Amino acid sequence: MYMKPIKSRFVTLLCFCFVTLWSCKSLPIREPVEISRNLTSPGVLNAKQLAIFFVRENPAANYSEIRSFAQLYIDEARAENINSDIAFAQMCLETGFLRFGGLVQKEWHNYCGLGAIGPENPGCIFATEQEGVRAHIQHIHAYATTEDVELNNELVDPRYSWVHKTKYAQTVREMAQSWAADPAYAVKIENLLFRMKLSVR
């Protein structure tokens, strides 16, 4: 008397399992994102991914504005063969996710603390967002390349030539040794890169 309902439920369960397994089989497998620590490797995150990461860290930020800002980093970095992921992470560290609050003021468009030494030398001032991003990318370029490698865009970084002649670094850790006095500077950038990776899973 009870065999029929039990058999019916069993068949239904089998059908459900089959459909579920078939659906899972058809889903694309997402490859894990790997962000290079090499200064001249291509960035792998797009503007949308960078903006999502940024807004999670600073919910008060405007997503559309940050996405456009992130695209500036991608475009300027690509023009000079610099890793946009590293540059964007460094910007987040230096500005506190564009909250600022230190020597450098928001309206200066100085996104990497360029020239910021102390009250008497609070940092460089750039006219626009793009100019500020370009200066940041060019400063990384000054570290990451030898003197024979020229810039593709017009020079706006006032400290570029001196660094290009005296410094050389291939990785975040090597650059950090002379970029900042903080001994944990490289670790902080790498921690941000790790969080960026997690945000796009």
Coordinates of all heavy atoms in Angstrom, one line a residue, residues 7 30 40 56 69 135 154 157 179 188 194:
K7 N 8.2 4.8 -4.0 CA 8.9 4.7 -5.3 C 8.8 6.0 -6.1 O 9.8 6.4 -6.7 CB 8.2 3.6 -6.1 CG 8.8 3.4 -7.5 CD 8.2 2.2 -8.2 CE 8.8 2.0 -9.6 NZ 8.1 0.9 -10.3
R30 N 36.1 28.5 -13.0 CA 36.8 29.8 -13.0 C 38.3 29.6 -12.5 O 38.5 29.0 -11.4 CB 36.1 30.8 -12.0 CG 36.9 32.1 -11.9 CD 36.2 33.0 -10.9 NE 34.9 33.5 -11.5 CZ 34.1 34.4 -10.8 NH1 34.4 34.8 -9.6 NH2 33.0 34.8 -11.4
T40 N 56.8 45.1 -13.8 CA 56.6 45.3 -15.3 C 55.7 44.2 -15.9 O 55.6 44.1 -17.1 CB 57.9 45.3 -16.0 OG1 58.7 44.2 -15.7 CG2 58.7 46.6 -15.7
R56 N 34.5 47.9 -1.4 CA 34.4 47.1 -0.2 C 35.3 47.6 0.9 O 34.9 47.5 2.1 CB 34.8 45.6 -0.6 CG 33.8 44.9 -1.4 CD 34.3 43.5 -1.7 NE 33.3 42.8 -2.5 CZ 33.5 41.6 -3.0 NH1 34.7 41.0 -2.9 NH2 32.5 41.0 -3.7
F69 N 38.2 56.0 -12.4 CA 39.6 56.2 -11.8 C 40.5 55.0 -12.0 O 41.6 55.1 -12.4 CB 39.4 56.6 -10.3 CG 40.7 56.9 -9.6 CD1 41.4 58.0 -10.0 CD2 41.1 56.2 -8.5 CE1 42.6 58.4 -9.4 CE2 42.3 56.6 -7.9 CZ 43.0 57.7 -8.3
A135 N 51.8 60.5 -13.1 CA 53.0 60.7 -12.3 C 53.4 59.5 -11.5 O 54.5 59.1 -11.4 CB 52.9 61.9 -11.5
E154 N 54.2 61.9 -22.1 CA 54.9 63.1 -21.7 C 55.3 63.0 -20.2 O 54.5 62.6 -19.4 CB 54.1 64.4 -21.9 CG 54.8 65.7 -21.5 CD 53.9 66.9 -21.7 OE1 52.7 66.7 -22.2 OE2 54.3 68.0 -21.3
D157 N 56.3 63.5 -13.9 CA 56.9 63.2 -12.6 C 58.2 64.0 -12.4 O 59.2 63.7 -13.1 CB 57.2 61.7 -12.5 CG 58.0 61.3 -11.2 OD1 58.1 62.1 -10.3 OD2 58.5 60.1 -11.2
W179 N 61.5 53.1 -1.5 CA 60.3 54.0 -1.7 C 59.9 54.6 -0.3 O 59.5 55.8 -0.3 CB 59.2 53.2 -2.3 CG 58.0 54.1 -2.7 CD1 57.2 54.8 -1.9 CD2 57.6 54.3 -4.0 NE1 56.2 55.5 -2.7 CE2 56.5 55.2 -4.0 CE3 58.0 53.9 -5.3 CZ2 55.8 55.6 -5.1 CZ3 57.3 54.3 -6.4 CH2 56.2 55.2 -6.3
K188 N 52.6 45.4 3.4 CA 51.3 46.1 3.4 C 50.8 46.1 1.9 O 49.6 45.9 1.7 CB 51.4 47.5 3.9 CG 51.7 47.6 5.4 CD 51.9 49.0 5.9 CE 52.1 49.1 7.4 NZ 52.4 50.5 7.8
F194 N 46.8 40.6 -2.1 CA 46.1 39.3 -1.7 C 44.6 39.5 -1.5 O 43.8 38.8 -1.9 CB 46.7 38.8 -0.4 CG 46.1 37.5 0.1 CD1 46.3 36.3 -0.6 CD2 45.3 37.5 1.2 CE1 45.7 35.1 -0.1 CE2 44.7 36.3 1.7 CZ 45.0 35.2 1.0

